[in-house]
Amino acid sequence: MKKINISKQGKSNLITYGIILLLSFLLFFIGQSSYQLKGLLVPVCTQIMLAVSLNLTVGILGELSLGHAGFMCIGTFVGASFSIYMEQFIPIAGVRFFLALFIGALSAGIMGFLIGLPVLRLKGDYLAIVTLAFGEIIKNIVNMIYLGYDSKGLHFSMTDTASMGLAEDGVVIIKGPQGVMGTPADSNFGIGVILVLITVFIVLNLIHSRDGRAIMAIRDNEIAAESVGINITKYKLMAFTISAALAGMAGSFYAHNYNNIKASTNNFGYNMSIMILVFVVLGGIGSIRGSVIAATILYMLPEMLRFMSQYRMLVYAIVLIIMMLFTWSPKAQEWKSVQMEKLKVRLKPVIDKFRKKSSDKLTKEGE
């Protein structure tokens, strides 16, 4: 009988996936309690994907980026435009939706690569300022775009709808500051959970691969990493591009939850980038599991505290402070380690049972 061995890292990954599924069930039942909370289920999946993808840049690569909302903006508008335009060619909503997710991720990844080439030469505050500037540039350019289509094909302008030259049967997709209109409502919470699992799977597998170890070596000591032959530019670009692509996928998913989306400051500006960074910092820089938990709690909390009226933001601020102290306190770190060990002990019978079933199955197949 062949025994299946699960590595320490494999157990840790299984715990992470288990936490995501547990949070998903809790969010689903919480969402049934009110219409407002139900409306947050798709956005909270988006926020988790954004937090996990930014942690790849901030926590694993060790570079401070404040332009993550810009990559989300690219994925949002490219994915939404693709879905609206391709409705006439791809009648199957599911196929069109998943293609839109891929196109949104691809476009954001390409932009991340192009932006990363010049900006990743900078470090620290300089990199943060430049990425913030690029994020604002992307948002402002989107607000200048007018895109539509008619029987002759796509029409584009940077001034107004009249200059596009659309025929009478033309349809406007992006209308400048008014944003994109008519996006199919294909997103739902179930797909969101699957995309969160895919995002976490990609990031975790990258972290524990040879490339991931090279990226973390650059984070810990760039000079030492270069001295042993690690290509600094290659691995920095790899992490930054993958992070941008995952943000673009999150943006495309987010777009298909709303009929109309504008490239406003609240949605895709500086405030959004800072909020995602807060999720990463409070969850623990470099902790994928922490990013998932922090994004879930901090995004849902203001709405769940709405019954407290004007005091809800005060309570929200107090929770932020407590989470920061809990995350970085040495005693809290020790307590978390002890609790994780206890959790592993409790999960051991489940893992052993899984091993036994797998071994029995292999034995039967061998017979």
Side-chain angles (χ1 to χ4, degrees), residues 57-365:
T57 299
V58 176
I60 309 306
L61 180 60
E63 300 289 359
L64 181 58
S65 172
L66 294 179
H68 214 55
F71 299 123
M72 177 192 177
C73 184
I74 292 171
T76 298
F77 283 84
V78 171
S81 301
F82 176 86
S83 282
I84 295 170
Y85 180 67
M86 296 304 289
E87 274 188 295
Q88 56 187 323
F89 302 110
I90 306 176
I92 304 173
V95 175
R96 187 177 61 245
F97 174 55
F98 285 107
L99 283 174
L101 292 176
F102 175 76
I103 295 296
L106 181 64
S107 59
I110 292 171
M111 185 58 70
F113 178 81
L114 295 175
I115 291 175
L117 281 172
V119 306
L120 289 176
R121 299 173 185 273
L122 304 173
K123 297 178 183 293
D125 298 341
Y126 299 102
L127 176 62
I129 292 169
V130 172
T131 51
L132 171 63
F134 270 111
E136 291 298 306
I137 289 169
I138 289 168
K139 176 177 68 68
N140 289 318
I141 288 176
V142 168
N143 278 326
M144 297 167 60
I145 293 175
Y146 292 84
L147 181 69
Y149 69 91
D150 56 18
S151 55
K152 296 180 182 179
L154 286 169
H155 295 259
F156 173 82
S157 174
M158 295 289 284
T159 53
D160 52 41
T161 52
S163 61
M164 285 195 294
L166 284 173
E168 291 183 1
D169 64 338
V171 175
V172 178
I173 300 175
I174 303 177
K175 198 174 182 180
Q178 296 181 36
V180 63
M181 303 176 182
T183 311
D186 294 327
S187 295
N188 60 58
F189 183 58
I191 296 174
V193 173
I194 293 171
L195 291 178
V196 167
L197 289 170
I198 290 172
T199 302
V200 171
F201 177 81
I202 291 171
V203 174
L204 287 177
N205 276 272
L206 175 63
I207 291 171
H208 302 300
S209 67
R210 182 179 179 182
D211 293 334
R213 289 190 289 273
I215 291 168
M216 288 186 284
I218 294 169
R219 175 197 64 189
D220 295 337
N221 193 319
E222 190 171 317
I223 296 173
E226 191 173 17
S227 68
V228 296
I230 294 175
N231 189 326
I232 304 296
T233 304
K234 171 188 171 182
Y235 289 108
K236 278 189 174 184
L237 272 175
M238 178 189 294
F240 196 74
T241 302
I242 293 173
S243 175
L246 293 174
M249 181 177 71
S252 185
F253 173 71
Y254 179 79
H256 288 78
N257 191 48
Y258 301 98
N259 184 261
N260 174 242
I261 298 180
K262 302 175 183 177
S264 64
T265 302
N266 290 333
N267 286 341
F268 305 107
Y270 172 78
N271 291 337
M272 173 62 84
S273 292
I274 291 297
M275 186 173 73
I276 302 166
L277 183 62
V278 167
F279 296 157
V280 172
V281 173
L282 290 182
I285 295 176
S287 171
I288 304 304
R289 191 182 302 157
S291 294
V292 173
I293 296 170
T296 304
I297 294 174
L298 295 178
Y299 189 78
M300 297 292 290
L301 192 61
E303 189 63 39
M304 295 178 71
L305 294 174
R306 190 169 289 278
F307 69 94
M308 301 186 71
S309 187
Q310 68 266 31
Y311 296 107
R312 69 190 181 101
M313 295 314 295
L314 174 62
V315 175
Y316 182 72
I318 292 171
V319 170
L320 285 178
I321 295 170
I322 292 171
M323 285 189 68
M324 179 63 78
L325 294 174
F326 181 77
T327 301
W328 297 105
S329 167
K331 289 184 178 180
Q333 293 286 345
E334 184 181 347
W335 180 85
K336 285 190 289 183
S337 299
V338 171
Q339 296 306 312
M340 285 305 300
E341 289 301 322
K342 289 181 179 178
L343 181 61
K344 288 176 182 177
V345 170
R346 290 175 183 174
L347 288 175
K348 190 175 184 301
V350 178
I351 294 171
D352 290 341
K353 188 176 180 182
F354 171 76
R355 284 177 177 172
K356 188 175 184 306
K357 285 184 177 180
S358 301
S359 300
D360 292 343
K361 186 178 178 181
L362 289 171
T363 303
K364 288 179 181 179
E365 289 177 355

Side-chain angles (χ1 to χ4, degrees), residues 46-57:
T46 305
Q47 299 300 319
I48 294 171
M49 286 187 275
L50 290 169
V52 171
S53 58
L54 181 61
N55 211 343
L56 179 58
T57 299

